[in-house]
Amino acid sequence: MKQINSIEDNLEILEPFISGLNKYLEKSRSLSLFKKLPIRDDKENINDRLLEGSYLFSPCGVELRESECNSLALELIDLLKLHLTDRADEINTISDHLLNEKINPHSIILSTIKNEGNEIRKKIRQLNLPEDLFTFFLIYLARPFREQAASYLLEKIEKLIWLYGYCPVCGHWPVLAHINEESGERTLWCVCCNTKWKFKRTQCAFCLNENHESLEIISPVNEESYRIHACKKCKRYLKEIKSNNDAMNFQFDKMYLGTVPLDMIAEKQGYIQESILTVRYDNPAGNELLMYRQKAIKEKISIN
Ligand SMILES: [Zn+2]
Ligand SMILES: [Zn+2]
């Protein structure tokens, strides 16, 4: 059986990679990535949309700068080559396809931000790509674009009021929660666009279940700050970290990647990880289960 590392060990091993990834993300923030930004409602409509549970980013009509797509793709693949040496062959395959243009960065980024999971899976099958690694590559390749869109869409909002478990900007599920040890406040984080939002501490982000009997907290031995908030009702889970650091300055990427041992523990106990490629609940071709849950959420809110 594969040995599960302690999280502290894992974070230490990952440090050089995370530092490279932070540089990649930091640099991308100074670039102008869009030829045409997404549509932004005026202030009043934005608040109405948020209250209705409709997330803000609609990728329809956006145009990306091709040169930036290409340079970010090469930069990210170099970063993976340098640090993920145990998967060198698979990374070289992706790299070769970028060079021989079987993978076009501009179109694959567009597919990713449009949540075209079927298109992406087709590509994965056609080129025989490693699904986990390629998904990871796409999420971090699309991240600068989604993050820039998020800054633009949230720019005029003074205080974000959002009661849902999925991201208020891009609609994806959170992958990590931060719990402020002092105040007990919980902040959820979206890896796709780097948005953070406050959420009830004892509620399942996926189905809004609040019954404590069907929610459980699982922690690795001797590492109680790292936990899994698991829901027996919908079988989903969210990784959580208790911290003294403020959520706004918390290193979410580092902690998300460093807490992979928690995913292994959750999986062993039968909990399911949500896909981070496809979640468009307003798209009929999207995730049906999500559509169902959205309905349940809406009903619940109208009852209250
Ligand atoms: Zn998001
Ligand atoms: Zn649930």
Side-chain angles (χ1 to χ4, degrees):
M1 195 188 291
K2 204 173 167 194
Q3 176 76 26
I4 297 180
N5 278 343
S6 82
I7 290 165
E8 294 294 344
D9 287 350
N10 219 37
L11 285 167
E12 206 180 307
I13 297 165
L14 274 174
E15 193 58 52
F17 173 56
I18 302 291
S19 143
L21 187 67
N22 283 338
K23 279 191 199 129
Y24 157 85
L25 292 170
E26 199 50 56
K27 199 175 131 198
S28 74
R29 288 179 187 125
S30 61
L31 304 173
S32 167
L33 301 175
F34 287 89
K35 261 197 294 201
K36 197 169 162 218
L37 277 155
I39 297 163
R40 182 171 69 185
D41 275 335
D42 56 39
K43 210 169 154 183
E44 203 171 297
N45 287 343
I46 291 179
N47 285 326
D48 286 349
R49 276 184 71 165
L50 289 171
L51 279 174
E52 281 172 11
S54 168
Y55 57 79
L56 300 177
F57 181 35
S58 165
C60 179
V62 298
E63 288 174 31
L64 316 177
R65 288 192 198 282
E66 281 203 58
S67 56
E68 306 297 13
C69 295
N70 291 333
S71 59
L72 286 171
L74 295 178
E75 203 175 317
L76 185 58
I77 206 77
D78 281 346
L79 189 67
L80 298 183
K81 274 186 195 168
L82 189 62
H83 296 288
L84 268 63
T85 45
D86 57 336
R87 304 199 63 178
D89 289 350
E90 294 160 299
I91 294 164
N92 282 331
T93 306
I94 299 174
S95 173
D96 290 346
H97 287 316
L98 285 168
L99 295 175
N100 66 26
E101 295 176 13
K102 290 231 169 75
I103 299 172
N104 173 285
H106 176 258
S107 62
I108 201 85
I109 294 171
L110 262 186
S111 282
T112 307
I113 65 175
K114 289 182 175 173
N115 303 311
E116 293 170 345
N118 290 339
E119 286 298 308
I120 294 167
R121 273 188 285 270
K122 208 159 87 188
K123 195 76 161 174
I124 288 172
R125 274 199 308 274
Q126 268 172 2
L127 301 176
N128 199 18
L129 302 169
E131 186 165 352
D132 61 336
L133 191 64
F134 193 59
T135 301
F136 178 81
F137 174 71
L138 290 183
I139 292 300
Y140 275 100
L141 180 57
R143 163 78 170 270
F145 297 86
R146 281 175 165 146
E147 194 176 313
Q148 213 158 82
S151 306
Y152 173 71
L153 293 167
L154 292 170
E155 203 175 62
K156 298 195 169 170
I157 300 173
E158 284 128 33
K159 194 173 187 304
L160 178 66
I161 299 172
W162 180 251
L163 305 169
Y164 297 81
Y166 51 88
C167 174
V169 174
C170 74
H172 285 254
W173 291 115
V175 296
L176 189 66
H178 167 280
I179 293 177
N180 187 310
E181 217 147 19
E182 234 168 81
S183 65
E185 201 167 52
R186 184 157 75 141
T187 306
L188 309 190
W189 176 69
C190 173
V191 61
C192 295
C193 74
N194 199 25
T195 296
K196 304 156 190 103
W197 67 102
K198 303 262 186 285
F199 196 73
K200 270 192 193 172
R201 176 151 176 184
T202 53
Q203 187 172 31
C204 169
F206 303 97
C207 74
L208 301 192
N209 172 24
E210 286 188 85
N211 180 350
H212 63 94
E213 281 173 15
S214 53
L215 292 166
E216 67 172 333
I217 300 284
I218 308 161
S219 272
V221 182
N222 300 327
E223 296 197 296
E224 287 85 13
S225 299
Y226 305 102
R227 6 196 277 176
I228 300 157
H229 190 264
C231 175
K232 292 178 194 166
K233 199 174 154 202
C234 71
K235 296 305 270 177
R236 264 64 185 178
Y237 71 94
L238 185 61
K239 301 193 284 187
E240 288 186 343
I241 297 176
K242 282 169 91 176
S243 166
N244 291 319
N245 293 330
D246 182 68
M248 288 305 131
N249 302 315
F250 189 67
Q251 294 194 59
F252 280 96
D253 287 291
K254 176 179 174 177
M255 292 304 177
Y256 163 58
L257 299 172
T259 50
V260 167
L262 291 181
D263 296 300
M264 293 155 93
I265 295 170
E267 194 189 330
K268 265 189 178 173
Q269 304 208 10
Y271 290 106
I272 303 161
Q273 191 171 28
E274 279 293 338
S275 161
I276 42 178
L277 278 181
T278 50
V279 291
R280 287 196 72 188
Y281 73 89
D282 54 353
N283 173 0
N287 184 330
E288 279 174 34
L289 194 58
L290 182 61
M291 286 172 72
Y292 163 76
R293 282 195 236 129
Q294 290 309 309
K295 195 165 158 270
I297 289 169
K298 284 224 166 96
E299 277 163 7
K300 193 165 172 172
I301 283 172
S302 61
I303 291 165
N304 287 346

